[in-house]
Amino acid sequence: MPDPRDSAAPHGALPHVFAPIRIGGLELPHRVVMGSMHLGLEGAPDAGERLAAFYRERALGGAGLIVTGGWAVSADAAADGSYGVLATAERERAVGGPDDATLRALEAIAGSTAGTEAAIALQLFHAGRYALTDSPGEVVAPSAVASRVSRVEPRALGEEEVWDGVAEFARGAVLAKDLGFAAVEVMGSEGYLVDQFLSPVTNLRDDEWGGDAERRMRFGIEVASAIREAVGAGFPVLFRMTGAELMPESRPWEEVEEFARALVAAGVDALNIGVGWHESAVPTVQGAVPAGAFLPWAAALKDAVDAPVIAGNRVNKLEDAEAILSAGEVDLVSMSRPFLADPQIIERGKGRAAINVCISCDQACIDRSLVGGHVSCLVNPRSGYEVDFPIPEPASERSQKSADSAAKCERSSGGVGGGRRFVVVGGGPAGLEAARALAALGGEVHLYEAREELGGQFRWARLVPGKEDYGATISYFESELQRLGVHVHLDRELGEDDADLIADCAGVVLATGVHPRTVDIPGSSLPHVVDYATAFESGLDDAKSVAIVGGGGIGVDLAHLLTHTPSDVRDFYGRFHLQPPVEPKLRIEPPSLHSKGLSNGARVTVMRRSGRIGSGIGRTTRWVWLDALKHAGVETRTGLSYRRITPEGVEIELEDGTVEAIAAERVVIAAGQERRDELRPLLERLEVPHRVIGGAENPTELNAVRAFGDGLRAAYELAAA
Ligand code: SF4
């Protein structure tokens, strides 16, 4: 496998991705834009240290154009307290530059790409009515129309105040140029202020800023014109505009096209096409959305304007970007979350090395961003925490460790992990990340997995339609562990007899996960009753009716698997009543994995004693999974007790005392799990430094974000001990 850091590695397999392109005066080495992501660090009092480290790592990893998260053009523009503000906050109107700390942060970010091929653009942002109550300013909007996002009724801006808003964007652009940013991007999509002016639903004005299509468009066009005039010719200006609002009473397509043309006429160098307002009831980025589903909206705009058009939304693989670009659909592809998952995605793509693929789970990124949290990534918990978990040296420069040292536990010096020997027990998410990080830190790592395959519960998740990319995570770690010289021992369960193997090690990570919890419901030992692990592993003999006892994430996953086929873009359009402006040219198929004995089309009932079905699933994805189950006719029951399991199904008693028989050929118990930590006493007795992580430590809420994060932390702690 070619090393991605080897600049001579071939990348002929992705010729359209790696074709240079120009945006305004900016020459870009390839056609993947690292799209804007609010990391929740923009307002942090660290002088931009974390943000600069985050962007620098992506620049070194081959990113071309990087767009920062949104920076509020005024205090009123901030969505919440985690935003950085480009204008002084103590003001009647934003007339001054940012405070000193913000200025230092911006300088550090602007300088983060120095010495690389990357260019960094500052995104200029105004939340308008999407601002939350803890934002540093006032919630303002074109009209006093509250949103489902914030539920705060905004104050309608006065006519002169709208001009102030235009000036704030221009002032932010000048500041960006003066500080050395390579470009600016106006955040004009996803339902933020520009969109709020454009839409007749949120712009109820009848003055120079609203009343008809031309006046509703005026704010965005004036912003573009003012920026161009302020920064002069040659400084690249990108505009992120909405291709499809996905809102009731959306604007007609002709207005979208007209706005795009007007922006280019006003001096915008490239259009980055966003899709969907934050309060839209149509999913746009979740795993259940077919890859590339929203491409036709961007493709139609490419035909409408004479400027580069950038498309994004559910493009998470370079191969998909290559297909999109080679079909001539758009000029560039924007990827955001994939750069969280793998900062080296571009360099790895050049070398065709395995990439840590974004699995579109949203759990550590968008779910956190929406509540002003510190954004990271489920499959790459270093993301956003580069300063806390520094990489001491490029792993590729170290010699690989000899396999025959497995029987000996020798300590040696050097590096953080220092050639010392570590044992990781368990090859699920927590163990995989621990092994990877320990090896990257220079340790000699031996990973023991009782099964014949790595991946833990990700092996099951990848079977679920919409979660196929979980399989790519396993492939990435298999490849990465091999590259880092980790000794992987499959089908090898460690026990008391293995004391010699671990006694002298520098550290042990116990990541043996969980096993399904047994229940004491009468009838639970009947032959047609299985636990969820058995259901995923061995199937359900294609049962036509299945009752699932337990409505957490695993129960929902299983129900989805039993009722869905891989998502199809036509079905998706039909289900959400979407009409693309042009026929989709491209169909991106999800990877397929056959699940044996789990026929989709089964009649499924999901039950839970109390609480909400699917609680624990992330905020931005839970509604999508539950909506899909409802659409597929899955019955859900909650607020009940289980009377007994019979050969015909499950007898439940509802809170009002009603007894109901749920008919089912097969019954699956998915009612929680218990830790597997049998090795813990041995580790304590041997007094070997160790960490017990993931489900082995806390089985109550299986949480892959915590599992990966535990793995990373355990590795750094043991390596430093
Ligand atoms: Fe992608 Fe999930 Fe990571 Fe977000 S948390 S970047 S969706 S893998």
Side-chain angles (χ1 to χ4, degrees):
M1 180 174 59
D3 188 303
R5 278 168 286 261
D6 176 3
S7 60
H11 49 83
L14 302 170
H16 295 85
V17 165
F18 289 104
I21 187 169
R22 178 173 281 274
I23 290 182
L26 203 57
E27 188 73 41
L28 299 173
H30 55 76
R31 297 186 175 222
V32 176
V33 174
M34 177 174 146
S36 174
M37 290 174 280
H38 177 67
L39 297 177
L41 298 169
E42 286 75 2
D46 69 348
E49 183 190 12
R50 283 168 185 266
L51 279 175
F54 174 84
Y55 292 125
R56 176 124 196 104
E57 200 157 298
R58 273 86 193 151
L60 290 169
L65 179 59
I66 296 172
V67 183
T68 68
W71 283 73
V73 295
S74 69
D76 291 351
D80 59 45
S82 69
Y83 276 72
V85 179
L86 297 175
T88 39
E90 336 80 51
R91 61 168 184 75
E92 285 291 313
R93 291 175 180 178
V95 291
D99 58 36
D100 286 349
T102 304
L103 208 51
R104 284 202 305 280
L106 289 165
E107 284 167 350
I109 295 162
S112 65
T113 55
T116 71
E117 280 193 302
I120 188 159
L122 185 71
Q123 193 187 64
L124 307 172
F125 175 89
H126 198 309
R129 67 198 269 275
Y130 278 174
L132 304 172
T133 45
D134 72 334
S135 75
E138 188 183 5
V139 182
V140 294
S143 303
V145 180
S147 79
R148 280 178 50 213
V149 171
S150 66
R151 303 196 188 279
V152 180
E153 184 173 305
R155 180 177 66 77
L157 289 161
E159 282 191 59
E160 279 307 307
E161 286 180 305
V162 182
W163 281 114
D164 293 340
V166 171
E168 287 162 3
F169 273 96
R171 197 176 298 115
V174 170
L175 179 68
K177 185 182 177 190
D178 290 348
L179 289 173
F181 282 93
V184 290
E185 179 180 85
V186 175
M187 170 38 112
S189 69
E190 267 82 7
Y192 292 116
L193 187 66
V194 173
D195 268 341
Q196 293 161 27
F197 271 97
L198 285 169
S199 170
V201 175
T202 48
N203 183 346
L204 310 178
R205 308 173 72 102
D206 188 13
D207 60 5
E208 58 184 319
W209 304 108
D212 55 32
E214 190 180 338
R215 286 178 286 167
R216 282 186 277 106
M217 284 186 221
R218 184 169 183 185
F219 178 71
I221 296 166
E222 293 289 356
V223 165
S225 300
I227 289 176
R228 175 53 69 211
E229 191 179 333
V231 297
F235 186 73
V237 177
L238 293 84
F239 202 106
R240 184 163 171 86
M241 63 162 280
T242 292
E245 293 170 354
L246 309 180
M247 292 283 287
E249 300 173 61
S250 291
R251 288 170 296 147
W253 175 250
E254 297 70 40
E255 275 191 37
V256 178
E257 276 188 334
E258 195 181 332
F259 185 57
R261 280 193 283 265
L263 290 177
V264 174
V268 165
D269 294 302
L271 296 177
N272 189 359
I273 309 305
V275 171
W277 284 27
H278 284 317
E279 59 199 304
S280 161
V282 181
T284 57
V285 294
Q286 294 85 344
V289 178
F294 292 104
L295 204 52
W297 283 263
L301 287 172
K302 175 174 160 55
D303 292 338
V305 299
D306 186 19
V309 167
I310 306 165
N313 285 82
R314 274 297 281 140
V315 182
N316 63 342
K317 300 194 191 82
L318 291 181
E319 292 75 15
D320 295 350
E322 177 67 22
I324 291 165
L325 293 167
S326 67
E329 297 275 64
V330 289
D331 302 288
L332 299 101
V333 169
S334 175
M335 295 185 178
S336 301
R337 297 172 298 171
F339 281 89
L340 285 173
D342 196 334
Q344 291 189 314
I345 178 172
I346 300 298
E347 284 302 309
R348 287 176 185 273
K350 278 183 192 167
R352 308 299 289 143
I355 288 168
N356 199 2
V357 169
C358 163
I359 56 175
S360 302
C361 67
D362 289 357
Q363 284 179 251
C365 55
I366 299 177
D367 285 346
R368 289 186 184 173
S369 176
L370 289 180
V371 293
H374 182 165
V375 163
S376 184
C377 174
L378 183 147
V379 297
N380 174 22
R382 270 194 77 245
S383 219
Y385 291 86
E386 290 77 8
V387 171
D388 307 88
F389 300 104
I391 298 175
E393 60 175 292
S396 61
E397 290 175 13
R398 292 197 317 276
S399 61
Q400 300 220 330
K401 309 296 183 298
S402 159
D404 60 16
S405 61
K408 292 187 70 181
C409 299
E410 295 172 343
R411 292 172 190 245
S412 63
S413 60
V416 180
R420 295 178 295 155
R421 184 165 175 273
F422 296 90
V423 167
V424 177
V425 192
L432 289 174
E433 175 60 10
R436 184 209 62 77
L438 279 166
L441 288 168
E444 178 197 326
V445 182
H446 290 264
L447 171 62
Y448 293 88
E449 165 55 46
R451 296 176 185 274
E452 291 174 350
E453 192 185 8
L454 296 173
Q457 301 214 353
F458 267 42
R459 293 172 306 119
W460 305 332
R462 67 186 168 179
L463 302 173
V464 178
K467 291 192 170 183
E468 293 91 347
D469 285 335
Y470 284 56
T473 306
I474 301 174
S475 302
Y476 162 77
F477 275 96
E478 286 171 343
S479 170
E480 193 66 354
L481 296 191
Q482 185 185 21
R483 187 180 74 82
L484 291 166
V486 172
H487 307 282
V488 177
H489 308 267
L490 296 176
D491 199 13
R492 175 76 166 86
E493 187 160 11
L494 296 192
E496 286 283 333
D497 294 346
D498 294 303
D500 286 353
L501 200 70
I502 54 182
D504 296 327
C505 291
V508 176
V509 178
L510 189 59
T512 34
V514 296
H515 53 71
R517 191 169 73 81
T518 53
V519 294
D520 58 3
I521 304 169
S524 57
S525 58
L526 286 168
H528 68 311
V529 183
V530 294
D531 61 42
Y532 66 83
T534 307
F536 277 109
E537 294 278 339
S538 308
L540 295 171
D541 299 325
D542 290 319
K544 292 286 171 264
S545 57
V546 177
I548 301 174
V549 173
I554 292 175
V556 168
D557 268 1
L558 188 58
H560 201 76
L561 174 54
L562 287 164
T563 52
H564 286 79
T565 51
S567 45
D568 174 87
V569 78
R570 289 272 164 220
D571 293 346
F572 179 75
Y573 292 154
R575 180 154 155 236
F576 291 101
H577 313 292
L578 303 177
Q579 287 185 326
V582 292
E583 273 299 301
K585 277 196 240 165
L586 200 66
R587 187 187 162 107
I588 300 172
E589 300 284 352
S592 75
L593 259 179
H594 184 62
S595 51
K596 55 188 173 190
L598 295 166
S599 60
N600 51 66
R603 185 162 48 80
V604 177
T605 307
V606 181
M607 295 165 287
R608 186 164 206 181
R609 279 188 212 273
S610 60
R612 302 186 310 161
I613 299 291
S615 67
I617 302 176
R619 171 180 173 173
T620 53
T621 46
R622 178 177 174 271
W623 70 273
V624 180
W625 294 119
L626 294 193
D627 185 66
L629 292 188
K630 190 173 168 194
H631 189 74
V634 171
E635 296 276 337
T636 55
R637 297 274 194 288
T638 182
L640 53 86
S641 58
Y642 300 104
R643 286 167 63 94
R644 61 186 179 127
I645 299 173
T646 68
E648 290 76 37
V650 183
E651 238 176 62
I652 59 174
E653 183 171 337
L654 304 176
E655 280 169 348
D656 64 3
T658 315
V659 174
E660 194 178 335
I662 306 293
E665 289 174 33
R666 302 298 295 268
V667 177
V668 180
I669 308 296
Q673 44 279 322
E674 289 159 354
R675 65 167 60 90
R676 294 194 56 205
D677 63 345
E678 293 84 354
L679 220 53
R680 191 195 293 250
L682 176 66
L683 298 175
E684 287 167 359
R685 204 168 63 241
L686 294 172
E687 295 184 355
V688 62
H690 65 275
R691 297 289 183 279
V692 184
I693 64 170
E697 174 62 10
N698 179 0
T700 49
E701 281 185 27
L702 260 198
N703 179 332
V705 174
R706 181 165 53 76
F708 277 98
D710 281 0
L712 180 68
R713 259 186 311 281
Y716 274 73
E717 287 171 10
L718 288 173

